[in-house]
C-alpha cells in the first residue's frame, strides 16, 4: 500500500485499466457486429436496388408499348374520320363510326392484353367496344376522369379506381389521352382503362430477398389497391414522395412501429410514378443472430471477471477521492473554511485537492465582489425609482391639479390624474428592471403631458419611433424620463416659452443596434460641463452617470451613451443599445 501511495494517479489508473482491458472484447464485438450488419444491409439495399430499377424499366417498357398502341389506334383511318366529324359537329354518321371503330378497339386490345377497355368521349357521342356494357347511370362529365383531364389539360394517368364507365365494377388504372389530329379538336378525350391486377403482376409483389414491390404516384399514394398492411403504412408516411422529389432512384432505411425497414425506389421515365421495394431489416440480418449471441456470451463472461477485479481497484483508488468528497460536502453546507488535506503529496489527486483549495479561496473573493456589485445595483435601482417619485415634481403636479379643479377644469384635471397614475404604474413595472420600448415611450409621454400642464406654454414635444419593430425591444425601465426631465428643469430654466423636446427611436447604421435620442433647444452646456456629466452623482435630479451605470449592468460594453451640447445650441443625448429578440435583422 505504501508503494502504491507513491505512484502517480495516472499510473494507478493504468493499473486499473490493465485489469479492465477485457472490456475491449465487448467494444470489439460491438463494432464487429455493427460493421457486418452495415455491410449486409448495404449489400441488400444495392441488390434490391438493381431489382427495383429493372422492374421500373419493365413497367416503363410496358406503358410505352401501351402508348405506342394507342398512338397507332389514333392514326387509324376510322378514328380519324370519326374525329373529323366530331370536330365539325356532324353526328349523322355516328352509328357508322361506332360500327367501324369496334374493329379498331379489338385490334388495340389484342395488341396490348393489358387494356381492359377503351372509351372515347366526343361532342357527337361516345364510342366504346360494342362487346362491353356501358354504365348509363354515370356520364363521363360526372367522373373523376373528366375532372382530372379538365384541370390538367394534358395526357393524364389516373391511379387505381373502380371503372365507372362500364358495368362490372372492375378496378382499373386509366390513361386519358388527347387525340392526334391535323386540325383543331375540342372536347374529345380517349380513356384507356388498364387492368389493375395486370399492372400489379408487371411490377411484381416480391422477389427472392422477401421484399414487397409496389407503385406510388408523385404524392406518395398507391397507384393501385394493395391488401398488404405494410405497403399501405409505407405509402402513408409520404417518405418516398419526399425522397423522389429530386432523385430518380435511391434507397434508405426508416422506422415504422418500432421496426426498421429498408426501402428502395426508382422513378419511371414515362410519368411521375415510382416503383418501391420494402423489406424488414430484421429479415436481412437474421443470419447474424448466431454471431450476436456469441458476442453477448463472451461479453457477459468478460463483464463478470471485470467486476470482480475492479472491486479491489475501486476501493484503493476512491480513498483520496472520498476525503475530497467530505470536504465538498462541508462546502455544500456553506462551510467555506473547509480545506482538502492529502497524505500523498506526489500524485495528481493531491494536486487536484490543492487546486480545489485555491478555488475555494477564489470563491470567497468572488462572493465579496458580487455582494459589492449587488449593493451598487440596488443603489442605482433606488435612484431610478427616486427619479420618478421626485417630491418637487409631485408637488407641482398635485398643485396644478388642485388649481385646475378650483377653476372647474374637471375634465383636464381628470386627464392629469389618469396620466399621473399611469406614469407610476408603468414606472414601477411590477418590480421588474427590464421593460419594453413601448412602455418606456408611454412612460415618457405621460410625464411630458403632466409637465406641459404644469409649465404651460413653456415647451412642446414630439415622440417618434421610426421602426415599429423596435417597440418590443427590451430596455431598462426609466431611461427616457430622466433625460426629458433634465431638458425641462435645466435646459429650459431660463426660458418662459418656445422650448422644444424631440424623442426619437430608430435603427442605427449597424443593423445589430438601435438608438434612443432625446434633443432639446435649451440653453445647452459647454464642453467641460458635458464632460462632468459622466462623473457627477447629483442628489437633485437623475445623473447621466447613474443612467450609464444601469446600461452597463444590462448590456456591458454593447451599450453607449453620448451627450452633444453647446452654449445656446441645445442638448442631444443618444443611447445606443444592441438589438435583442426575433425582430433583429439578419
Amino acid at each position: 500500500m505504501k508503494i502504491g501511495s507513491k505512484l502517480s494517479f495516472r499510473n494507478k489508473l493504468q493499473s486499473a485499466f490493465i485489469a479492465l482491458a477485457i472490456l475491449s472484447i465487448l467494444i470489439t464485438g460491438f463494432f464487429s457486429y455493427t460493421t457486418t450488419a452495415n455491410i449486409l444491409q448495404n449489400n441488400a439495399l444495392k441488390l434490391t436496388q438493381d431489382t427495383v430499377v429493372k422492374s421500373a424499366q419493365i413497367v416503363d417498357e410496358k406503358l410505352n408499348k401501351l402508348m405506342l398502341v394507342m398512338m397507332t389506334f389514333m392514326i387509324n383511318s376510322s378514328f380519324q374520320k370519326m374525329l373529323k366529324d366530331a370536330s365539325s359537329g356532324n353526328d349523322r354518321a355516328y352509328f357508322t363510326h361506332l360500327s367501324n371503330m369496334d374493329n379498331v378497339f379489338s385490334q388495340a386490345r389484342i395488341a396490348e392484353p393489358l387494356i381492359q377497355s377503351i372509351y372515347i368521349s366526343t361532342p357527337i357521342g361516345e364510342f366504346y367496344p360494342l362487346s362491353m356494357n356501358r354504365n348509363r347511370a354515370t356520364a363521363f362529365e360526372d367522373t373523376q376522369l373528366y375532372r382530372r383531364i379538365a384541370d390538367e389539360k394534358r395526357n393524364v394517368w389516373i391511379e387505381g379506381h373502380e371503372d365507372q364507365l362500364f358495368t362490372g365494377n372492375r378496378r382499373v388504372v386509366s390513361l386519358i389521352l388527347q387525340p392526334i389530329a391535323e386540325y383543331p379538336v375540342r372536347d374529345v378525350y380517349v380513356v384507356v382503362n388498364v387492368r389493375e391486377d395486370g399492372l400489379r403482376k408487371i411490377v411484381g409483389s416480391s422477389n427472392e430477398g422477401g421484399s414487397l414491390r409496389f407503385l406510388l404516384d408523385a404524392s406518395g399514394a398507391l397507384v393501385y389497391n394493395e391488401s398488404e398492411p405494410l405497403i399501405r403504412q409505407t405509402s402513408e408516411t409520404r417518405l418516398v414522395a419526399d425522397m423522389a422529389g429530386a432523385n430518380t432512384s435511391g434507397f434508405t432505411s426508416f422506422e415504422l412501429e418500432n421496426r426498421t425497414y429498408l426501402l428502395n425506389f426508382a422513378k419511371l421515365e414515362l410519368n411521375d410514378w415510382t416503383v418501391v421495394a420494402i423489406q424488414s431489416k430484421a429479415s436481412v440480418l437474421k443470419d447474424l443472430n448466431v454471431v450476436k449471441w456469441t458476442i453477448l456470451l463472451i461479453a457477459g463472461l468478460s463483464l463478470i471477471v471485470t467486476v470482480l477485479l475492479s472491486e479491489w481497484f475501486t476501493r484503493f483508488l476512491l480513498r483520496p477521492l472520498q476525503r475530497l468528497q467530505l470536504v465538498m460536502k462541508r462546502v455544500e453546507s456553506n462551510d467555506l473554511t473547509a480545506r482538502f488535506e492529502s497524505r500523498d503529496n506526489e500524485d495528481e489527486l493531491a494536486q487536484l485537492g490543492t487546486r480545489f483549495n485555491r478555488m475555494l479561496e477564489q470563491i470567497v473573493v468572488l462572493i465579496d465582489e458580487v455582494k459589492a456589485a449587488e449593493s451598487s445595483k440596488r443603489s442605482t435601482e433606488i435612484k431610478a425609482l427616486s427619479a420618478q417619485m421626485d417630491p418637487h415634481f409631485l408637488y407641482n403636479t398635485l398643485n396644478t391639479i388642485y388649481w385646475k379643479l378650483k377653476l372647474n377644469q374637471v375634465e383636464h384635471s381628470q386627464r392629469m390624474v389618469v396620466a399621473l397614475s399611469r406614469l407610476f404604474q408603468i414606472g414601477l413595472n411590477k418590480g421588474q428592471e427590464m421593460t419594453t420600448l413601448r412602455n418606456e415611450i408611454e412612460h415618457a409621454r405621460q410625464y411630458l403631458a403632466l409637465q406641459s400642464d404644469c409649465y404651460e406654454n413653456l415647451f412642446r414635444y414630439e415622440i417618434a419611433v421610426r421602426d415599429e419593430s423596435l417597440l418590443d425591444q427590451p430596455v431598462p425601465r426609466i431611461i427616457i424620463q430622466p433625460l426629458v426631465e433634465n431638458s425641462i428643469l435645466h435646459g429650459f430654466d431660463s426660458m418662459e416659452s418656445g422650448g422644444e423636446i424631440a424623442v426619437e427611436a430608430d435603427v442605427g447604421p449597424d443593423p445589430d443596434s438601435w438608438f434612443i435620442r432625446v434633443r432639446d433647444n435649451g440653453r445647452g452646456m459647454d464642453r467641460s460641463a458635458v464632460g462632468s456629466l459622466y462623473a457627477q452623482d447629483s442628489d437633485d435630479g437623475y445623473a447621466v452617470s447613474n443612467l450609464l451605470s444601469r446600461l452597463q449592468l444590462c448590456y456591458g460594453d454593447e451599450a453607449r451613451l453620448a451627450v452633444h451640447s453647446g452654449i445656446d445650441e441645445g442638448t442631444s443625448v443618444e443611447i445606443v443599445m444592441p438589438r435583442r429578440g426575433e425582430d433583429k435583422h439578419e
Side-chain angles (χ1 to χ4, degrees):
M1 189 65 67
K2 291 182 179 181
I3 297 175
S5 63
K6 295 181 180 180
L7 293 174
S8 68
F9 190 69
R10 177 180 298 177
N11 290 334
K12 294 174 185 176
L13 287 176
Q14 288 176 345
S15 299
F17 288 153
I18 291 174
L20 299 174
I22 198 168
L23 288 177
S24 62
I25 297 176
L26 179 61
I27 297 174
T28 303
F30 171 77
F31 282 106
S32 298
Y33 177 82
T34 303
T35 303
T36 305
N38 287 335
I39 292 174
L40 285 177
Q41 176 178 322
N42 290 334
N43 288 341
L45 284 170
K46 292 177 181 178
L47 289 173
T48 306
Q49 185 66 27
D50 293 339
T51 303
V52 170
V53 171
K54 291 178 181 177
S55 179
Q57 292 173 349
I58 293 173
V59 175
D60 259 325
E61 290 174 0
K62 194 67 175 177
L63 297 184
N64 274 315
K65 179 184 176 184
L66 174 65
M67 292 289 291
L68 182 61
V69 169
M70 292 311 301
M71 294 302 106
T72 304
F73 173 88
M74 286 189 288
I75 63 176
N76 184 277
S77 59
S78 297
F79 180 86
Q80 290 295 318
K81 291 177 182 179
M82 178 275 296
L83 200 60
K84 185 175 182 180
D85 284 346
S87 65
S88 62
N90 180 15
D91 59 355
R92 288 176 296 179
Y94 169 75
F95 291 101
T96 301
H97 292 317
L98 183 65
S99 177
N100 293 338
M101 288 292 296
D102 193 60
N103 184 46
V104 183
F105 286 130
S106 300
Q107 291 176 357
R109 295 176 67 185
I110 293 173
E112 180 47 70
L114 194 62
I115 297 175
Q116 171 69 28
S117 59
I118 302 174
Y119 170 86
I120 304 172
S121 173
T122 73
I124 62 173
E126 52 187 14
F127 298 89
Y128 51 87
L130 297 177
S131 60
M132 301 196 67
N133 295 322
R134 173 76 170 92
N135 181 13
R136 298 297 178 182
T138 304
F140 174 66
E141 290 76 8
D142 297 332
T143 65
Q144 63 168 328
L145 306 178
Y146 180 77
R147 290 192 292 271
R148 286 285 294 275
I149 192 63
D151 291 339
E152 302 191 24
K153 305 294 184 183
R154 60 183 177 86
N155 296 341
V156 179
W157 288 91
I158 308 296
E159 295 75 16
H161 59 279
E162 287 189 357
D163 188 358
Q164 296 178 300
L165 298 174
F166 298 96
T167 59
N169 295 328
R170 296 180 179 85
R171 290 195 61 83
V172 294
V173 175
S174 298
L175 168 63
I176 307 177
L177 298 169
Q178 304 224 352
I180 300 174
E182 297 179 353
Y183 36 82
V185 178
R186 296 184 60 186
D187 300 326
V188 176
Y189 305 103
V190 179
V191 180
V192 184
N193 289 324
V194 178
R195 290 185 292 105
E196 188 181 80
D197 55 349
L199 184 60
R200 184 186 293 108
K201 289 179 181 178
I202 295 173
V203 176
S205 60
S206 64
N207 58 26
E208 295 180 355
S211 64
L212 299 173
R213 289 201 301 274
F214 50 96
L215 267 179
L216 296 179
D217 62 14
S219 66
L222 289 168
V223 171
Y224 46 74
N225 192 29
E226 285 285 0
S227 60
E228 177 62 44
L230 178 59
I231 294 177
R232 295 201 301 270
Q233 290 174 342
T234 303
S235 68
E236 290 171 359
T237 64
R238 296 295 187 266
L239 176 64
V240 176
D242 295 338
M243 293 182 60
N247 302 302
T248 57
S249 63
F251 52 82
T252 187
S253 61
F254 70 101
E255 297 290 330
L256 185 63
E257 294 184 351
N258 298 322
R259 296 187 65 181
T260 303
Y261 293 91
L262 309 181
L263 183 143
N264 300 75
F265 71 92
K267 296 179 69 173
L268 302 184
E269 295 180 0
L270 182 64
N271 54 24
D272 54 7
W273 290 351
T274 305
V275 177
V276 183
I278 184 173
Q279 56 186 325
S280 170
K281 182 178 178 180
S283 64
V284 174
L285 303 181
K286 62 183 179 180
D287 294 336
L288 280 178
N289 285 335
V290 176
V291 177
K292 178 177 68 176
W293 288 112
T294 302
I295 292 175
L296 289 176
L297 177 62
I298 296 174
L301 294 175
S302 302
L303 183 61
I304 294 173
V305 175
T306 300
V307 170
L308 294 175
L309 290 177
S310 64
E311 183 67 23
W312 182 84
F313 284 105
T314 301
R315 288 198 304 267
F316 173 67
L317 293 174
L318 282 182
R319 287 177 182 173
L321 289 175
Q322 289 171 345
R323 292 199 299 270
L324 183 58
Q325 185 182 25
L326 292 175
V327 175
M328 291 181 176
K329 287 183 177 180
R330 290 176 59 188
V331 174
E332 186 179 3
S333 301
N334 296 325
D335 182 7
L336 298 181
T337 62
R339 296 293 183 271
F340 176 77
E341 297 180 0
S342 175
R343 300 173 187 174
D344 306 322
N345 297 322
E346 299 179 4
D347 65 7
E348 285 80 355
L349 269 178
Q351 297 176 17
L352 179 63
T354 301
R355 286 173 172 77
F356 180 74
N357 292 339
R358 293 176 183 172
M359 182 185 69
L360 288 176
E361 294 170 358
Q362 291 289 336
I363 289 174
V364 173
V365 173
L366 290 174
I367 289 175
D368 293 338
E369 292 178 354
V370 169
K371 288 180 178 179
E374 188 67 23
S375 177
S376 175
K377 181 179 179 181
R378 294 301 178 191
S379 176
T380 57
E381 289 178 351
I382 291 171
K383 290 179 180 180
L385 288 175
S386 67
Q388 66 167 332
M389 300 185 68
D390 180 11
H392 183 70
F393 164 68
L394 284 176
Y395 170 77
N396 282 349
T397 304
L398 295 175
N399 190 50
T400 303
I401 294 172
Y402 171 77
W403 283 108
K404 287 184 180 295
L405 288 173
K406 291 282 287 182
L407 296 173
N408 291 325
Q409 297 181 12
V410 177
E411 184 176 351
H412 201 165
S413 302
Q414 288 175 340
R415 287 200 305 269
M416 290 187 67
V417 171
V418 172
L420 184 62
S421 172
R422 184 69 177 144
L423 176 74
F424 287 119
Q425 180 186 15
I426 298 173
L428 290 174
N429 196 37
K430 300 181 181 180
Q432 299 297 317
E433 172 63 17
M434 299 299 292
T435 183
T436 62
L437 177 61
R438 189 189 310 276
N439 289 338
E440 267 301 289
I441 291 293
E442 181 64 18
H443 184 262
R445 181 177 284 110
Q446 300 296 338
Y447 178 80
L448 286 167
L450 288 170
Q451 289 289 44
S452 64
D453 287 328
C454 293
Y455 301 97
E456 292 185 357
N457 301 322
L458 175 61
F459 67 93
R460 57 190 179 91
Y461 62 90
E462 179 185 2
I463 299 177
V465 179
R466 308 299 182 190
D467 188 337
E468 291 187 359
S469 66
L470 297 175
L471 290 173
D472 295 322
Q473 281 293 309
V475 296
R477 59 177 172 166
I478 314 178
I479 61 172
I480 300 178
Q481 180 266 338
L483 301 179
V484 298
E485 179 182 3
N486 284 342
S487 296
I488 298 170
L489 298 182
H490 303 296
F492 304 152
D493 61 348
S494 61
M495 299 171 58
E496 294 182 359
S497 64
E500 294 182 359
I501 298 175
V503 179
E504 179 185 9
D506 199 356
V507 179
D510 180 2
D512 292 336
S513 67
W514 64 287
F515 67 85
I516 299 173
R517 183 184 296 125
V518 178
R519 293 183 289 106
D520 65 63
N521 63 342
R523 64 178 182 177
M525 297 173 286
D526 58 21
R527 183 174 299 179
S528 61
V530 171
S532 65
L533 288 177
Y534 295 98
Q536 72 180 18
D537 191 4
S538 172
D539 294 329
D540 183 17
Y542 193 84
V544 171
S545 60
N546 193 314
L547 179 57
L548 183 59
S549 175
R550 294 178 63 218
L551 290 171
Q552 289 176 342
L553 283 173
C554 294
Y555 300 107
D557 295 336
E558 292 184 279
R560 301 188 304 276
L561 187 148
V563 180
H564 304 282
S565 185
I567 299 298
D568 297 328
E569 295 179 359
T571 302
S572 173
V573 181
E574 183 176 276
I575 301 172
V576 180
M577 292 169 285
R579 299 195 73 172
R580 297 285 189 261
E582 295 181 356
D583 63 333
K584 177 179 176 180
H585 294 177
E586 294 297 332

